[in-house]
Amino acid sequence: MNQMASGKAKAIPIQVDGLYEKHHTVYARSVTGFFNSWRWVMVCVTQALFYGLCWIEWGDRQAVLFHITERKFYIFGMVFWPQDVIYLAILLVISAYGLFLVTAVGGRLFCGYACPQTVYTEILMWIERKIEGERPARMKLDAQPMSARKFRLKFIKHSLWLLVALWTGITFVGYFTPIKELLNEIATFELGPWEAFWIFFYMAFLYLMAGFLREQVCKYMCPYARFQGVMFDPDTLIISYDPERGEPRGGRRKGAAASTAKPLGDCVDCSICVQVCPTGIDIRQGLQLECIACAACIDACDQVMDKVGSPRGLIRYSTENALAKHYTVGEMFSHLLRPRTLLYSSILLAIILAAAWSLAHRVPLKVDVLRDRSTLSREADDGRIENVFRLHISNTDEAPHRYSISVSGIDGIDIVGERSVELPSASSKTVALSARVGPEAGKKGSNPIFFEVRADQHEKIAVREKTSFFLP
């Protein structure tokens, strides 16, 4: 009090150990089992699609190509233009609601089985195990000082990682520049600056994220880990440890659990569930945001239970309510059909059906009508009033078409200029024309008129666009 009164308060030093947790390398142990097999099935399926889809031919072009230079997106038999951005918005909405539904039903299943970070981490970790060995061998190797053997193993591993990352970068850019043209440019050293940038950027990104950061992406960088909690509820399937069955923990010999003097749970405290976890967490501490629902701990624990003679399922897919209320498997799955999941499913189905209907009835023709703004109207040589227009016609079909142009809306209105236009597949053209009408045919000022563009041999391919005709 005296020091404060005198204005000479003594500073109290505060010691700060660190602003963030120190990173510890996670050496994930390999595991086999039912869920691990499914995880590798998903790795193969997703990568077969990613690496193979760009090589499929459709007619005389790449089946899936997002051609930025031409501003056209080719997806098998459909051609999308910048005006079709609504379909991109629909795709994003479908993806979002699909993710909400999967999360509400089964937690972070996408993270554990289909997320690119998980998939490429699995691939690079598989290479790492083949080169450096299993978990103890990798830990021992990293602890050793640099030697010829260590340098050789590290060099081979990182070279293979870079090759995978490089080919992935080339494939990624191959969806925006035709893959065969891209490989030819690489072979002849004529690669453009933007293609080169994105190839090496994507390569470095994958090499860094899947090779070094790994679990740190899931723990600190991925926003999904942060907002998943708002999509969970007590009936969401999650990776769960059964404490009533597992506690208290303790080691034992096979078949000795029932005869021991001190009652023990089924958990033998072997920590293998921690060793196989790619994010290095202990699932026995409950649900954590770092858990990516890969189920590696389930496969590992089931193998240990088989060895000690205890039933499987100490760690399993379950729900908070199922553990607390001891639901049977049937009761647990019956609770998956609840208002939240039914709402997500209904909205998702409605959006998919609406998008499918829209694509099925999509007219492969786009017409934009632009007025000549320099002159609203003028008197033609024949005494009629003339307005000048520019029609931008886009053929979004895979086949060439010849289109006829007509105008209506005012009695006696007629077109002066080009009345038909022929367009190759996936091409566009701007047509300049004028419309004329008698001076007394309509009211003074703006009059609504309609330009109709119709394919000559396909009556269903037609577009009617509204614009205005100005009479002085």
Side-chain angles (χ1 to χ4, degrees):
M1 289 292 291
N2 293 335
Q3 291 176 343
M4 293 179 66
S6 62
K8 297 179 179 179
K10 185 178 180 180
I12 302 175
I14 300 176
Q15 183 176 357
V16 179
D17 294 332
L19 298 178
Y20 53 88
E21 181 184 7
K22 182 180 179 181
H23 174 249
H24 300 281
T25 303
V26 175
Y27 295 91
R29 178 174 176 170
S30 63
V31 63
T32 58
F34 176 81
F35 294 105
N36 181 70
S37 298
W38 271 108
R39 190 162 60 254
W40 274 103
V41 166
M42 290 302 300
V43 169
C44 295
V45 169
T46 54
Q47 297 317 291
L49 287 174
F50 175 72
Y51 290 117
L53 205 55
C54 60
W55 291 98
I56 298 176
E57 295 290 327
W58 188 273
D60 58 349
R61 61 165 175 78
Q62 196 169 305
V64 179
L65 177 63
F66 309 109
H67 211 306
I68 302 298
T69 304
E70 296 182 358
R71 293 184 293 178
K72 301 172 191 173
F73 290 179
Y74 303 95
I75 302 179
F76 293 98
M78 296 181 290
V79 182
F80 295 94
W81 296 65
Q83 299 94 318
D84 295 313
V85 68
I86 182 63
Y87 291 107
L88 175 61
I90 292 173
L91 178 62
L92 294 176
V93 172
I94 290 174
S95 301
Y97 269 100
L99 185 62
F100 296 162
L101 176 60
V102 169
T103 304
V105 172
R108 296 180 67 179
L109 286 176
F110 172 77
C111 294
Y113 294 89
C115 175
Q117 174 66 19
T118 300
V119 168
Y120 288 113
T121 298
E122 284 287 336
I123 294 173
L124 298 197
M125 286 175 63
W126 179 82
I127 294 173
E128 186 175 61
R129 292 190 186 103
K130 293 298 181 182
I131 302 300
E132 297 183 357
E134 268 299 338
R135 181 175 186 267
R138 298 199 307 274
M139 295 175 68
K140 183 178 179 181
L141 181 68
D142 286 352
Q144 293 174 356
M146 183 58 67
S147 62
R149 175 180 176 274
K150 182 175 180 178
F151 178 81
R152 175 173 56 85
L153 293 177
K154 295 291 184 181
F155 178 79
I156 294 173
K157 181 186 77 172
H158 287 281
S159 298
L160 292 175
W161 282 4
L162 287 169
L163 283 175
V164 171
L166 176 61
W167 185 246
T168 305
I170 292 173
T171 302
F172 173 74
V173 176
Y175 283 98
F176 301 91
T177 297
I179 187 70
K180 293 182 179 179
E181 295 180 15
L182 181 64
L183 291 178
N184 183 63
E185 291 176 0
I186 294 174
T188 56
F189 299 99
E190 297 178 355
L191 193 63
W194 282 109
E195 283 122 344
F197 169 81
W198 283 109
I199 287 174
F200 290 108
F201 176 83
Y202 202 84
M203 168 187 170
F205 191 80
L206 188 152
Y207 178 67
L208 176 65
M209 295 297 177
F212 296 93
L213 296 181
R214 292 184 178 175
E215 77 285 348
Q216 297 179 73
V217 175
C218 303
K219 293 168 67 174
Y220 305 117
M221 300 171 64
C222 178
Y224 185 39
R226 295 297 186 271
F227 67 74
Q228 63 168 328
V230 301
M231 293 185 284
F232 281 20
D233 60 38
D235 287 310
T236 298
L237 275 174
I238 56 176
I239 309 293
S240 306
Y241 166 73
D242 190 346
E244 291 186 14
R245 178 183 154 188
E247 302 297 326
R249 308 170 194 170
R252 66 186 66 82
R253 297 188 302 274
K254 182 177 181 179
S259 60
T260 183
K262 181 181 178 181
L264 294 174
D266 284 346
C267 180
V268 298
D269 205 16
C270 61
S271 77
I272 292 180
C273 58
V274 181
Q275 296 176 27
V276 300
C277 180
T279 58
I281 65 170
D282 188 346
I283 194 62
R284 296 171 296 180
Q285 296 177 4
L287 179 64
Q288 299 150 68
L289 64 85
E290 296 90 348
C291 178
I292 60 172
C294 66
C297 54
I298 297 180
D299 286 332
C301 187
D302 284 347
Q303 293 175 7
V304 174
M305 292 297 102
D306 291 342
K307 292 178 181 179
V308 301
S310 297
R312 291 186 167 198
L314 177 60
I315 301 176
R316 62 185 183 273
Y317 273 108
S318 187
T319 69
E320 183 181 337
N321 280 338
L323 288 176
K325 301 176 182 179
H326 305 95
Y327 287 161
T328 64
V329 175
E331 291 174 332
M332 180 178 68
F333 280 99
S334 68
H335 282 78
L336 296 180
L337 296 176
R338 55 193 189 278
R340 174 180 292 196
T341 57
L342 292 175
L343 177 62
Y344 287 159
S345 301
S346 300
I347 295 175
L348 182 61
L349 181 61
I351 296 173
I352 291 175
L353 291 176
W357 183 90
S358 176
L359 285 173
H361 293 79
R362 177 172 173 262
V363 177
L365 171 64
K366 297 188 181 300
V367 178
D368 293 317
V369 181
L370 304 174
R371 289 183 54 85
D372 184 358
R373 297 187 179 276
S374 61
T375 305
L376 287 178
S377 64
R378 64 191 178 194
E379 184 176 352
D381 296 338
D382 57 4
R384 293 187 296 174
I385 304 301
E386 180 181 69
N387 283 197
V388 179
F389 300 90
R390 297 171 67 87
L391 273 62
H392 186 77
I393 304 172
S394 301
N395 175 16
T396 61
D397 200 1
E398 289 289 326
H401 290 290
R402 185 173 188 84
Y403 302 99
S404 297
I405 306 171
S406 61
V407 64
S408 61
I410 303 177
D411 291 338
I413 192 168
D414 193 16
I415 291 176
V416 178
E418 196 171 3
R419 293 174 177 268
S420 65
V421 59
E422 188 168 354
L423 290 178
S425 62
S427 62
S428 60
K429 183 178 181 180
T430 300
V431 179
L433 53 81
S434 60
R436 293 182 183 179
V437 70
E440 305 299 329
K443 64 182 179 67
K444 304 300 181 183
S446 178
N447 294 263
I449 61 172
F450 301 89
F451 280 100
E452 185 173 20
V453 181
R454 182 182 297 273
D456 290 348
Q457 298 178 352
H458 299 272
E459 293 185 358
K460 293 184 178 180
I461 302 179
V463 172
R464 192 167 185 253
E465 284 292 317
K466 181 180 180 181
T467 186
S468 60
F469 190 98
F470 187 80
L471 283 171

